[in-house]
């Protein structure tokens, strides 16, 4: 027998039309370069998105063509999220933190036809321009200044479009809607192309009560860039439920975020740990120096990911009534693969236990399968000790890279993605990331997790940040080197830091071989500790 | 270009394995016929479910074969929900409130091969037995009594299975997993067959924050029968997130539900309005007669659907800190099509306005498209006045009935389901059901909504329930007749009821032509007002 259900393809354009009708009065706030705010209703956004789609088609966009974006987080970027696929195109979000050379290489590799650029990013873009021949450069007048005559003005482009007679391009649920290149910590960046289907499924899973818990009454502030794994997919979720969006534009300094939070207090925010570490330091200092300047939005949920979240950060925010939820994933996983949320089994657990679990990567999301493959090729048991490489599988997990042959170092023969992250899994299935495969330190034949050492060091009251890398050692093959950033006016001796490590259960051979005090930890374009750079700074 | 996402089919068996591993310690509580409780962990349930699947395959079940259930809500029924599809079969939930004749006809129409029956339902089932030749009758010893020798004992069936070597049947996401027959208020009952895909999508949409808001820490009490549109899909959701389930078994009397709520206070419950109307009456009476006997679980969300929910019911529960969420749908819509939840636009609205909206069917769920088709064939504007038939479309909406030709009275030429319900839609997109197409009263060429009249009558303090039907009238063609049930020891005169109607904005010609005081409103097997029966009782 057969099921009797309708064969209706999944489509993000359904979310677009839904927001444009049901939620037409709800709002999208964007912060402009001059720090003033502009507000659009979802109704206006819907109309503008259809105009963008109509204009792109009129300009000759064909099904499957790539339209790049080089933009901050704002309403026009959200128009591109839906307007490009509505025209049958594929949105290619370029990472504005990369060098012009990298951006040019990626645009050429992806064969981008058109591009939408923020006017404030033109200085960077003009360096990209010689490296790839975009057929049409559409400049969004984000600053309000006139658009240089050699480019197409985004607003004029929209104004000239016939949205009324526009029809969205027919599509299948497996058609691509967006492509994002991995940050490429190893080798060349590679493209991951999301489909209508993968995006709708990821949106539904991400929005669940134990994850984002997204509601129409939420006020969402995406600090995570919209060019970084689609701001973790949140824009699609906000549009699906019609939640108010507050885009910070180019102003990501903690002072600016705190200012914005006073005007539009978010109930849900998302960003990498770095942002929140700096924010809480600045907020705490302000409480004594300029009391009353800011209030933190109590009750806010804050999604933090992209790098390990230290337990100390979770505790620091919890004091202010803000619960930090850690997620783990990557561009290849759309990106949600695991989230750490309060499980029923922990109902009677102590606060310490809750914090300890919250500082883990969490448990695997519905629709995703996860396993830890040990060096011996076995599946690691759920014992909280055995380490293995995380491998995942599911309908919003990448099965290959854009125009790159499938290789065994990235995908297993039985069809799982090899993530390159090493983890353990405990008796409740909580995943704890111990390291990137290449960041593990092998000392005297035993593994030391750089992440574990970093977390203890960062729990010391004087330490702002700490990153641990391997340095070569003749006797032990590798030994840990700890790079430490102290809070202003504070410090600790190596002996004090070692004492803390021993107190937390580390043994002598696991202690850092050496400490280096530095002014700041170098970071990748996506805000992660840039360990490659540290290894260059301290080759031995 | 193509997307690079993995091609992994959606499957409810993923939820089954997820619950059996991640949530293995969480629990499923079932109330037995003698009112004692039995608790299984999800780990035990998973093992038993795989045993059921292995036993079914060993008994010769082939891909696509139907296995019927004739069961109350309990753990073994939940085993059937997943164990039958794991074996490649299709679960066919039979409605134990129907007559033996109807059950037999439905089982024969569906060609059920096997059946799982509660032992306490054997008196009913023995009347069904001559009407359809089941190849194997598996009796669940729900009461603990020995199973009659002529049937297969469910527990022995499981115990004899080799679950260790069992492998779930390979399947496609469009394969059927369950079939449910419509209650057939018009014509013969017809089968609606759900697929892995439709069920996974419905589960994700139903679980969203604005709908069930389902979390792993929830305690879910499904009062809605598991044979009625799969208990609105909730069992799949609970298994997906590992929520504790509390099944009331055969004890659905308000006294019994209140007793159960004392032992396992639910955070989420679901049932038809009738259940909650009786429950609140009995609870309120007990507060004076036997104070302290029961506490209502404050903070509980209660999903109510299957019939219109009067505003008075929502107000009555809100006083106790219980928020009633109304949903609308039908077997053909899996069943969630609309849900009334607090929208962002109503943030500043008065309590009266919130109650008014809560008493509507709500707004359309993601992935579902909804339109109101007027008698003139136009789409009704969102003016809160223009009535039209609700038509819906989406990946968990029925596109045809099992082995029944597609006809224009059920499906439009452009592929939408005609629901037969008549509604208006207001400026925020809230759907308000005015009637079933066949329950509208046409008086002097103007429509009167029986639901509107009922809601006002039920808001009178003396009225327990009210149902309005059309009676033929020579002059006006049809006129409304109101059948009223008064609360014990209370009453009101027709003049008083008419005065209330006028006070609420009704005009004279819309008032009931006549009032009939009756002891109880007759109900269908699913708890809806049985208007056909009322029309038989009062032909003129």
């Amino acid at each position: 027998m057969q099921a009797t259900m309708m064969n209706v393809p999944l489509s993000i354009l359904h979310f677009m039309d839904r927001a444009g009708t049901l939620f037409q009065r709800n709002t999208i706030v964007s912060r402009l370069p001059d720090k003033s705010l502009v507000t659009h209703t979802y109704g206006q956004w819907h109309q503008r998105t259809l105009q963008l789609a109509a204009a792109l088609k009129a300009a000759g966009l064909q099904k499957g063509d790539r339209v790049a974006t080089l933009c901050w987080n704002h309403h026009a970027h959200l128009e591109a999220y839906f307007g490009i696929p509505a025209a049958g195109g594929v949105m290619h979000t370029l990472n504005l933190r990369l060098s012009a050379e990298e951006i040019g290489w990626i645009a050429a590799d992806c064969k981008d036809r058109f591009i939408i650029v923020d006017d404030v990013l033109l200085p960077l873009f003009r360096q990209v321009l010689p490296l790839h021949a975009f057929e049409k450069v559409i400049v969004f007048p984000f600053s309000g200044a006139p658009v240089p005559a050699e480019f197409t003005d985004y607003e004029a482009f929209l104004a000239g479009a016939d949205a009324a007679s526009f029809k969205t391009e027919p599509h299948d649920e497996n058609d691509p809607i967006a492509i994002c290149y991995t940050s490429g910590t190893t080798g060349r960046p590679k493209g991951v192309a999301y489909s209508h289907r993968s995006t709708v499924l990821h949106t539904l899973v991400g929005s669940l009560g134990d994850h984002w818990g997204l509601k129409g009454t939420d006020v969402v502030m995406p600090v995570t860039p919209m060019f970084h794994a689609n701001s973790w997919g949140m824009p699609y979720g906000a549009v699906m439920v019609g939640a108010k969006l507050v885009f910070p534009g180019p102003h990501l300094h903690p002072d600016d975020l705190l200012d914005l939070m006073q005007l539009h207090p978010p109930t849900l925010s998302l960003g990498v740990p770095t942002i929140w570490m700096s924010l809480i330091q600045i907020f705490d200092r302000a409480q004594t120096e300029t009391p009353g300047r800011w209030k933190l939005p109590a009750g806010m949920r804050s999604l933090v990911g992209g790098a390990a979240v230290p337990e100390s950060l979770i505790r620091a925010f919890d004091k202010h009534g803000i619960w930090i939820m850690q997620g783990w994933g990557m561009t290849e996983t759309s990106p949600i693969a695991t989230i750490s949320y309060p499980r029923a089994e922990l109902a009677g657990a102590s606060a310490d236990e809750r914090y300890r679990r919250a500082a883990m990567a969490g448990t695997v999301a519905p629709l995703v399968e996860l396993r830890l493959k040990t060096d011996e090729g076995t599946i690691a048991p759920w014992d909280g000790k055995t380490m293995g490489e995380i491998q995942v599988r599911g309908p919003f997990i990448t099965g290959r890279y854009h125009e790159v042959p499938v290789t065994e170092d990235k995908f297993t023969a039985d069809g799982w993605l090899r993530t390159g992250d090493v983890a353990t899994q405990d008796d409740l299935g909580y995943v704890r990331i111990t390291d990137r495969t290449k960041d593990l330190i092998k000392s005297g034949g035993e593994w030391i997790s750089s992440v574990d050492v970093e977390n203890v060091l960062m729990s010391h009251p004087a330490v702002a940040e700490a990153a641990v890398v391997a340095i070569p050692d003749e006797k032990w093959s590798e030994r840990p080197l700890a790079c430490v950033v102290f809070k202003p006016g504070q410090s600790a001796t190596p002996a004090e830091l070692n004492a803390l490590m021993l107190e937390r259960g580390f043994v002598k051979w696991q202690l850092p071989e050496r400490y280096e005090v530095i002014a700041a930890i170098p970071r990748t374009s996506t805000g992660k500790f840039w360990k490659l750079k540290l290894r260059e700074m301290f080759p031995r």
Side-chain angles (χ1 to χ4, degrees), chain A:
Chain A
M1 68 170 288
Q2 293 182 318
T4 61
M5 296 288 116
M6 287 182 187
N7 179 19
V8 175
L10 302 178
S11 169
I12 62 154
L13 303 182
H14 164 75
F15 294 161
M16 173 185 77
D17 290 333
R18 177 177 164 81
T21 48
L22 262 188
F23 309 123
Q24 54 185 285
R25 298 190 206 165
N26 294 0
T27 54
I28 300 163
V29 177
S30 301
R31 203 162 201 205
L32 302 180
D34 69 359
K35 299 199 179 176
S36 66
L37 300 174
V38 63
T39 299
H40 291 80
T41 64
Y42 270 105
Q44 292 168 324
W45 167 82
H46 186 226
Q47 178 59 23
R48 287 171 57 86
T49 301
L50 292 177
Q51 282 173 293
L52 171 61
L56 287 170
K57 267 183 92 167
L61 192 79
Q62 300 290 311
K63 186 87 186 277
D65 283 352
R66 270 73 81 196
V67 180
T69 62
L70 187 65
C71 298
W72 293 100
N73 289 9
H74 51 58
H75 65 279
H77 210 166
L78 192 69
E79 287 155 18
Y81 264 57
F82 291 83
I84 295 169
V90 180
M91 173 184 65
H92 176 202
T93 48
L94 290 167
N95 181 341
L96 57 86
R97 305 240 185 242
L98 298 180
S99 68
E101 288 67 34
E102 287 170 298
I103 295 173
W105 186 89
I106 290 171
D109 186 68
C110 199
K111 303 189 182 67
D112 296 336
R113 274 190 74 195
F114 301 168
I115 186 169
I116 300 169
V117 195
D118 283 350
D119 62 358
V120 293
L121 293 170
L122 280 177
L124 169 65
F125 180 68
R126 285 188 194 278
Q127 299 171 55
V128 175
L129 209 40
L131 305 171
H132 176 64
F134 294 98
E135 283 177 47
K136 185 181 269 297
V137 175
I138 305 154
V139 174
F140 173 58
F142 192 21
S143 72
V147 168
E150 70 263 41
F151 304 125
T152 300
D153 180 326
Y154 183 85
E155 294 298 340
F157 191 58
L158 262 57
D162 178 14
S165 66
F166 170 77
K167 292 221 177 326
T168 55
E169 198 64 17
H171 57 280
D172 178 86
E173 71 180 34
N174 291 308
D175 284 348
I177 57 158
I179 182 165
C180 183
Y181 274 64
T182 59
S183 45
T185 44
T186 55
R188 277 291 195 187
K190 289 180 286 294
V192 169
Y194 310 103
S195 64
H196 280 285
R197 174 182 165 97
S198 73
T199 306
V200 168
L201 293 175
H202 182 266
T203 304
L204 290 169
V205 167
S207 302
L208 289 173
D210 287 323
H211 303 167
W212 306 336
L214 196 61
K215 293 182 172 206
T217 48
D218 269 318
V219 178
V220 182
M221 183 184 286
V223 180
T224 303
M226 290 169 83
F227 54 76
H228 183 206
N230 300 324
S231 197
W232 303 344
M234 185 62 81
Y236 301 110
V239 169
M240 176 178 75
V241 305
K244 176 174 166 179
L245 275 161
V246 182
F247 286 122
H251 303 294
L252 305 183
H253 189 276
D255 280 20
D256 293 318
L257 293 176
L258 285 163
D259 283 347
L260 188 54
M261 285 177 177
Q262 311 313 301
L263 298 169
H264 295 279
T267 58
L268 182 60
S269 63
L270 48 155
V272 289
T274 335
I275 296 270
W276 305 110
M277 283 183 204
S278 323
L279 191 140
I280 196 73
Q281 282 172 43
I282 286 177
F283 176 82
D284 281 344
R285 210 179 310 145
Q287 283 203 297
T288 47
E289 291 173 9
T290 52
R293 179 174 177 194
W294 293 310
K295 264 174 64 179
L296 285 177
M300 180 176 79
R301 295 108 70 203
S302 182
L303 293 164
V304 182
V309 180
E311 188 177 317
S312 52
L313 187 70
I314 299 168
R315 287 179 182 263
F317 272 95
D318 196 23
K319 273 186 212 148
H320 297 285
I322 291 172
W323 189 245
I324 286 193
M325 277 184 300
Q326 177 164 201
W328 170 85
M330 52 213 308
T331 304
E332 288 88 337
T333 62
S334 287
I336 298 175
T338 68
I339 284 198
S340 193
Y341 65 89
R343 292 262 300 265
E345 298 90 332
L346 301 176
S350 66
D352 281 353
E353 176 70 3
R354 284 196 311 121
Y355 287 128
R356 193 176 72 77
R357 300 278 183 166
M360 296 181 177
T363 54
V364 66
L367 306 195
V368 181
E369 293 170 86
L370 183 147
R371 68 185 185 191
L372 305 182
K373 205 69 174 277
T374 67
D375 275 354
E376 291 76 38
T378 57
I379 306 295
W382 289 15
D383 60 6
K385 288 183 308 203
T386 311
M387 285 193 261
E389 183 190 32
I390 305 180
Q391 300 186 345
V392 287
R393 191 174 168 273
F396 48 80
I397 309 290
T398 304
R400 58 184 184 84
Y401 292 98
H402 177 59
E403 295 189 356
V404 172
V406 171
T407 53
E408 271 183 31
D409 61 328
K410 293 292 177 187
F411 301 96
T412 67
D414 58 345
W416 294 61
L417 171 74
R418 298 186 56 180
T419 67
D421 274 343
V422 177
T424 60
Q425 224 173 341
D426 70 14
D427 59 333
L428 288 179
Y430 275 82
V431 172
R432 198 171 61 82
I433 309 288
T434 50
D435 242 314
R436 291 290 299 167
T437 2
K438 59 185 185 307
D439 290 341
L440 272 176
I441 298 152
K442 195 153 199 176
S443 172
E446 295 290 338
W447 295 109
I448 301 174
S449 159
S450 65
V451 176
D452 285 355
V453 179
E454 287 161 7
N455 277 334
V456 172
L457 295 178
M458 285 194 277
S459 73
H460 189 284
V463 174
E465 286 171 9
V468 173
V469 292
I471 44 172
D473 184 282
E474 281 192 12
K475 186 169 175 192
W476 304 107
S477 135
E478 288 183 350
R479 290 291 297 145
L481 165 80
C483 304
V484 177
V485 179
F486 287 115
K487 291 177 184 166
Q490 299 190 43
S491 70
T493 64
E496 285 165 352
L497 295 173
N498 280 341
L500 178 68
M501 297 262 316
L502 293 169
E503 198 185 302
R504 295 290 171 82
F506 281 78
V507 291
K508 200 154 171 291
W509 65 268
Q510 294 169 324
L511 301 181
E513 186 69 21
R514 204 167 88 221
Y515 286 89
E516 292 284 348
V517 178
I518 56 179
I521 310 275
R523 295 184 183 282
T524 67
S525 64
T526 54
K528 297 182 195 185
F529 288 165
W530 197 3
K531 297 205 173 173
L532 191 67
K533 198 81 185 172
L534 280 177
R535 283 191 289 265
E536 284 170 16
M537 288 165 64
F538 304 104
R540 16 193 3 104

